């Protein structure tokens, strides 16, 4: 479902809002029963995807088969410190288990160390391996913007784009900060909108902030407050309809 050219409460629908959301089920203590409950919520609201821990991909894929909701997972999460071959292995295993979207954490320390060729090559190698196995696989690169300077964020955008990743993403939601409007605008300004999408993630708990993120250039939203966000959209639409 494509978004309207002008993003606002008036132009959006509850269905369109839901289709921007990657529903996050990533808490370390989350049980399989809670994961399955979250998957059923995704099917009910028809989110874009569910994003689960790698160990839960097979459960999510089985639960969501035929629902139209994609299954995603995280790679090198949450710190990005695994060697490249481990990240690639994790990605290919996730695809075998049923994932079609992969959110990989950039090697933050090596980016900050100026090891740019290494960082670019890691993203490129993982993206190429994933798409060789599953051509439709969507690869998103998580920056952890709260730990980076603006110059480093811009560099990460360029490296991700050169490596042919599908998305650049603000945050894991497990560090010192989440999505900010300033970061989203910076990421959108430093990537080609025809080839590279932007995902906002971390601290997005309200409809108003979700809409701000979309207005700032985000194409996809990582959130766990899906019920509250979509239900608020439905309530506002209903109120607007009765007032006319």
């Amino acid at each position: 479902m494509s978004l309207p050219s002008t993003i606002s409460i008036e132009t959006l629908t509850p269905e369109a809002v839901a289709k921007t959301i990657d529903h996050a089920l990533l808490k370390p203590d989350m049980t399989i029963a809670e994961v399955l409950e979250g998957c059923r919520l995704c099917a009910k609201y028809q989110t874009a995807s569910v994003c689960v821990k790698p160990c839960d991909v097979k459960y999510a894929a089985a639960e969501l088969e035929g629902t139209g909701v994609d299954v995603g997972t995280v790679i090198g999460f949450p710190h990005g410190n695994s060697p490249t071959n481990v990240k690639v292995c994790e990605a290919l295993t996730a695809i075998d288990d049923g994932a079609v979207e992969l959110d990989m954490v950039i090697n933050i320390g090596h980016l900050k160390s100026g090891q740019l060729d290494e960082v670019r090559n890691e993203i490129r190698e993982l993206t190429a391996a994933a798409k060789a196995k599953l051509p439709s696989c969507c690869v998103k690169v998580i920056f952890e913007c709260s730990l980076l300077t603006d110059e480093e964020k811009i560099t990460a955008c360029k490296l991700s784009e050169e490596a042919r990743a599908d998305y650049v993403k603000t945050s894991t939601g497990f560090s010192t900060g989440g999505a900010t409007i300033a970061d989203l605008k910076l990421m959108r300004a430093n990537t080609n909108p025809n080839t590279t999408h932007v995902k906002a993630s971390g601290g997005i708990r309200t409809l108003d902030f979700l809409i701000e993120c979309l207005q700032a250039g985000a194409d996809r939203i990582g959130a766990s407050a899906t019920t509250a966000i979509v239900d608020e959209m439905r309530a506002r639409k209903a109120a607007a309809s009765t007032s006319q």
Side-chain angles (χ1 to χ4, degrees):
M1 181 181 294
S2 60
L3 290 170
S5 56
T6 302
I7 304 293
S8 68
I9 287 286
E10 291 72 28
T11 62
L12 289 169
T13 64
E15 293 77 17
V17 168
K19 275 302 177 191
T20 69
I21 297 175
D22 293 341
H23 183 67
L25 300 172
L26 297 169
K27 292 181 180 179
D29 58 345
M30 186 165 277
T31 65
I32 294 173
E34 289 171 325
V35 170
L36 295 177
E37 182 182 0
C39 288
R40 288 189 285 271
L41 183 150
C42 290
K44 173 185 175 182
Y45 285 90
Q46 282 294 291
T47 59
S49 78
V50 65
C51 189
V52 299
K53 295 173 288 185
C55 60
D56 293 329
V57 169
K58 58 187 176 183
Y59 301 110
E63 183 67 30
L64 289 169
E65 184 176 4
T67 64
V69 176
D70 287 339
V71 175
T73 192
V74 287
I75 305 297
F77 196 83
H79 302 305
N81 296 331
S82 301
T84 298
N85 64 322
V86 174
K87 287 182 177 176
V88 171
C89 181
E90 192 173 19
L92 296 180
T93 300
I95 293 171
D96 283 338
D97 286 345
V100 298
E101 300 200 354
L102 306 173
D103 291 28
M104 67 165 289
V105 186
I106 205 167
N107 192 314
I108 303 162
H110 288 191
L111 172 66
K112 295 182 76 68
S113 299
Q115 299 296 316
L116 304 188
D117 288 341
E118 178 189 317
V119 173
R120 181 196 300 106
N121 289 342
E122 176 174 273
I123 302 168
R124 179 180 286 142
E125 185 174 337
L126 187 146
T127 300
K131 290 182 181 293
K133 190 174 188 70
L134 181 68
S136 61
C137 185
C138 179
V139 178
K140 309 175 195 130
V141 182
I142 307 174
F143 293 176
E144 206 66 278
C145 286
S146 63
L147 303 181
L148 304 178
T149 66
D150 282 355
E151 182 179 355
E152 289 165 343
K153 295 166 198 172
I154 292 170
T155 298
C157 283
K158 300 305 180 186
L159 297 177
S160 301
E161 197 160 63
E162 290 166 9
R164 299 182 181 275
D166 299 292
Y167 276 81
V168 292
K169 176 179 170 182
T170 57
S171 326
T172 63
F174 286 82
S175 188
T176 56
T180 70
I181 299 304
D183 283 340
L184 290 168
K185 289 181 177 179
L186 183 73
M187 293 162 77
R188 182 69 285 163
N190 287 280
T191 49
N192 183 342
N194 296 318
T195 59
T196 309
H197 302 292
V198 177
K199 178 175 173 179
S201 186
I204 303 171
R205 302 184 181 91
T206 67
L207 174 62
D208 287 333
F209 189 37
L210 179 145
I211 291 174
E212 283 187 71
C213 290
L214 296 177
Q215 291 169 336
D219 304 283
R220 196 80 73 86
I221 305 294
S224 56
T226 300
T227 299
I229 290 169
V230 180
D231 285 356
E232 174 69 11
M233 186 66 184
R234 288 174 175 168
R236 291 201 198 181
K237 284 292 191 182
S241 177
T242 56
S243 66
Q244 290 176 355

